[in-house]
Amino acid sequence: MADMAFTGPDPDLQDLLAARPQLQMHAQDGLCLEGVPLNAIADKHGTPAWVYGAGTMRARYAALRDAFAAENVPMHIHYAVKANDHLAILNLFREQGAGADVVSIGEFLRATKAGIAAQHIVYSGVGKSEAELETALAAGIGQINVESAEEVEMISAVAARLGVVAHIALRMNPDVDAGTHAKITTGLAENKFGIAAEDIPALYARAASLPGVRVAGIAMHIGSQILSTEPYRLAYAKAAEMVRALRAAGHNVEVMDIGGGLGIGYHDEPGLSPSAFAAMVRQVTQGLGVKLMMEPGRYLTGPAGILLASVILRKQAGKRFLVLDAAMNELMRPAMYEAWHGILPVDASAFHTATSPADVVGPICESADIFAKDRALPDLRPGARVALLDAGAYGAVMSSAYNARPRPAAVLVDQGGFELITKRQEIPALWDGEIVPGA
Ligand code: LLP
């Protein structure tokens, strides 16, 4: 199983920058996101802070939409809320015409709060509670992607009780290796996700006989950070075969939800090309006559976000350490998946000076609190700012308040300006809602 640790040499600072047109280095202002100096944002809102580029997200949404349009494949894009669930960002994708893919009632309510209509929301996930199903169905959720036989019965019972009919799709586990990190692969038989192909026809028939559900079709999601079209091709071919088999058995199959997972470049690997992906989807689904839906998350938001941090101090202890004011509780991906994130100095002078290897770490009392090992970086003094790149997906959403660290501010850059979209959490808010018995 591939993991995210890279064996080849790291791209140098110039290469990192050159591969990311959303970032620019200005001689005076230093590193900019979409033309806005990160120093100005840090001066105003402090660090650590999340910074997201609205233009980058819109451009990536457009690239995906246009890739399908170029292939003449009508595609309904449901943004995977879990990648970055900020209301401002959900609102941005709603404005672009996206629906949402959610995996909890909290995400469902977030998406509706951002103005995404319930009928444009798809509800995925292996374990939806009855209470969650009830809220979603009462609000008129568009589709529920079902992951087990037991869930079909639960949904039908809840829907019948409410006097509604739930539109469902059966999530098929294609038993295909997505070639990604073991912790984010979902389409192997051994994974907890989806329903085995051999069980789908009987379950489809059973669902058709239940009063509270209407089976609309097949859903699939084989994993995340997938960099090749080949695992998709295999998986979608199996889905297409299933659609034909179900129809031959007399069933109605109207939709095929092909999930998300499109990978981006973190190190020096090229991200999955939307046009190659769209061409593959056209080939595999040609003539199938289904409504196609997809659920991308990382592709849309990952490269658009950075985690802006400051060096607290330098430490020489056999090797060189740079201790940042950001830590694994903010960006978990390196600790959790050995993920590689680029790190750029914000000041232009530092960007142009000689580098030497340093371990970039956070202040948390865990050995896993490391962003980068032996990373070639210039001398960065206390107070120097750095940008941790490609942190727009699975960054803030996966953060915690471990070590009683309040949540950072978040800022949205748009059209040459920037706006605060989440206030930095006040420390007393950390114990909001806590009760000391007898006190
Ligand atoms: N649909 C379903 C059913 C999913 O489970 C996921 C992601 C997506 C869509 C969106 O996948 P994307 O397009 O973002 O790859 N925390 C990990 C990634 C976990 C992905 C979980 N499911 C990471 O930081 O790499």
Side-chain angles (χ1 to χ4, degrees):
M1 179 68 51
D3 71 24
M4 292 185 186
F6 292 89
T7 46
D10 286 348
D12 63 24
L13 301 182
Q14 273 75 16
D15 293 340
L16 275 177
L17 189 64
R20 289 164 180 75
Q22 66 275 30
L23 295 170
Q24 309 83 34
M25 185 59 80
H26 287 178
Q28 295 296 319
D29 295 335
L31 190 62
C32 297
L33 177 62
E34 298 179 11
V36 173
L38 295 175
N39 273 323
I41 294 172
D43 287 346
K44 180 146 190 203
H45 296 296
T47 61
W50 302 99
V51 187
Y52 306 117
T56 309
M57 291 186 271
R58 286 193 202 102
R60 297 184 73 83
Y61 186 88
L64 199 53
R65 184 195 54 208
D66 296 350
F68 284 102
E71 294 292 335
N72 240 323
V73 174
M75 176 60 73
H76 295 78
I77 301 178
H78 289 78
Y79 168 61
V81 170
K82 64 164 77 71
N84 186 324
D85 66 4
H86 210 289
L87 290 178
I89 285 166
L90 300 180
N91 186 55
L92 181 150
F93 287 120
R94 180 190 58 76
E95 286 170 354
Q96 305 311 299
D101 167 65
V102 303
V103 290
S104 71
I105 209 62
E107 285 192 352
F108 175 78
L109 294 175
R110 257 187 186 279
T112 54
K113 172 97 185 155
I116 299 175
Q119 67 265 29
H120 296 144
I121 301 179
V122 177
Y123 193 169
S124 307
V126 283
K128 312 170 189 83
S129 73
E130 248 185 69
E132 289 183 302
L133 289 169
E134 196 166 319
T135 307
L137 285 169
I141 181 111
Q143 179 174 311
I144 303 179
N145 290 348
V146 174
E147 304 221 13
S148 62
E150 186 138 9
E151 192 184 355
V152 175
E153 308 289 331
M154 273 174 74
I155 295 172
S156 178
V158 174
R161 199 160 67 222
L162 292 173
V164 299
V165 175
H167 287 218
I168 64 170
L170 300 188
R171 176 168 172 186
M172 172 177 162
N173 182 325
D175 197 15
V176 162
D177 185 352
T180 186
H181 190 281
K183 285 186 185 168
I184 53 172
T185 199
T186 54
L188 283 171
E190 68 194 52
N191 298 132
K192 67 177 176 179
F193 300 96
I195 300 160
E198 62 264 29
D199 298 334
I200 296 258
L203 190 54
Y204 214 95
R206 167 76 187 148
S209 76
L210 291 172
V213 295
R214 185 166 166 282
V215 218
I218 293 294
M220 196 170 261
H221 172 76
I222 61 170
S224 196
Q225 184 55 15
I226 300 170
L227 291 167
S228 152
T229 52
E230 288 319 295
Y232 283 119
R233 188 188 299 279
L234 284 174
Y236 296 166
K238 290 189 181 186
E241 201 180 299
M242 181 63 70
V243 169
R244 292 189 190 97
L246 289 168
R247 283 184 178 152
H251 294 297
N252 231 356
V253 187
E254 292 147 24
V255 310
M256 190 166 137
D257 180 343
I258 63 172
L262 284 73
I264 61 170
Y266 283 100
H267 189 255
D268 57 359
E269 72 283 30
L272 192 64
S273 133
S275 17
F277 184 78
M280 175 274 299
V281 171
R282 180 185 50 74
Q283 288 161 12
V284 188
T285 62
Q286 206 144 36
L288 208 54
V290 285
K291 170 184 164 188
L292 286 170
M293 307 163 65
M294 72 182 296
E295 308 161 354
R298 185 190 322 260
Y299 173 82
L300 295 173
T301 57
I306 60 144
L307 177 58
L308 187 56
S310 302
V311 174
I312 296 180
L313 52 80
R314 296 167 290 179
K315 180 171 168 172
Q316 198 73 42
K319 63 196 305 192
R320 174 184 171 220
F321 291 97
L322 287 171
V323 185
L324 304 186
D325 61 358
M328 66 184 286
N329 69 299
E330 276 97 29
L331 183 62
M332 284 250 287
R333 304 192 68 260
M336 194 157 172
Y337 316 110
E338 298 90 49
W340 196 97
H341 283 261
I343 302 177
L344 286 177
V346 171
D347 282 335
S349 54
F351 182 73
H352 294 294
T353 53
T355 62
S356 64
D359 280 12
V360 183
V361 304
I364 283 186
C365 303
E366 295 271 350
S367 301
D369 186 22
I370 300 189
F371 289 122
K373 255 188 155 63
D374 296 322
R375 188 65 63 85
L377 283 169
D379 184 27
L380 294 167
R381 319 222 154 160
R385 291 166 178 156
V386 294
L388 289 113
L389 309 183
D390 308 310
Y394 306 110
V397 281
M398 289 176 68
S399 66
S400 78
Y402 186 39
N403 280 200
R405 294 168 52 85
R407 311 252 177 192
V411 170
L412 188 66
V413 166
D414 198 9
Q415 314 203 338
F418 63 90
E419 268 187 86
L420 187 67
I421 57 169
T422 305
K423 294 181 189 159
R424 184 176 304 284
Q425 190 178 28
E426 304 276 351
I427 287 180
L430 287 172
W431 44 87
D432 250 9
E434 291 191 29
I435 295 159
V436 180

